[in-house]
Amino acid sequence: MAEDEHRDKHRQRVLKGATILTGVTNSEVTCTVRNMHAGGAELKVSPDARVPDEFLLYVPVDGIAYKAVVRWRRQDRLGVMFTGTEPKPHWHYG
């Protein structure tokens, strides 16, 4: 069964720069949002990036920090589910 058949929501293709904010000593991982919908997104990260199972995903063009939980991992891609939003952390430079 194709991966798209498992989804109950259509994801809009986008290319947005974003930052994974891990909260561990204000650590940040740059990434690209490949597609998203109100409930989640697919992210492209560096293959050697260390991304925790839960983090804030700050998307500057949206001006939103999404609370994210990793649902799947494949090489340099992550599928995340959004569990809420927060204001941009004050310590983030962007």
Side-chain angles (χ1 to χ4, degrees):
M1 188 178 288
E3 184 174 317
D4 288 344
E5 293 177 30
H6 293 287
R7 295 186 183 142
D8 60 353
K9 295 182 175 106
H10 174 71
R11 290 187 178 201
Q12 180 180 350
R13 291 186 189 274
V14 297
L15 278 176
K16 296 180 181 181
T19 305
I20 294 169
L21 307 173
T22 66
V24 177
T25 61
N26 301 339
S27 179
E28 300 181 3
V29 176
T30 58
C31 67
T32 302
V33 180
R34 304 269 305 162
N35 59 57
M36 70 187 307
H37 63 81
E42 178 184 339
L43 311 178
K44 182 174 181 180
V45 298
S46 170
D48 60 344
R50 294 185 177 196
V51 179
D53 291 335
E54 295 184 31
F55 55 86
L56 282 179
L57 176 68
Y58 180 60
V59 183
V61 297
D62 294 349
I64 297 173
Y66 299 93
K67 294 179 187 177
V69 176
V70 175
R71 301 294 295 196
W72 55 264
R73 297 174 189 259
R74 291 188 194 101
Q75 298 167 345
D76 63 347
R77 305 290 169 99
L78 298 174
V80 299
M81 176 179 71
F82 298 144
T83 60
T85 60
E86 287 188 4
K88 180 184 79 138
H90 67 278
W91 52 267
H92 184 266
Y93 67 89

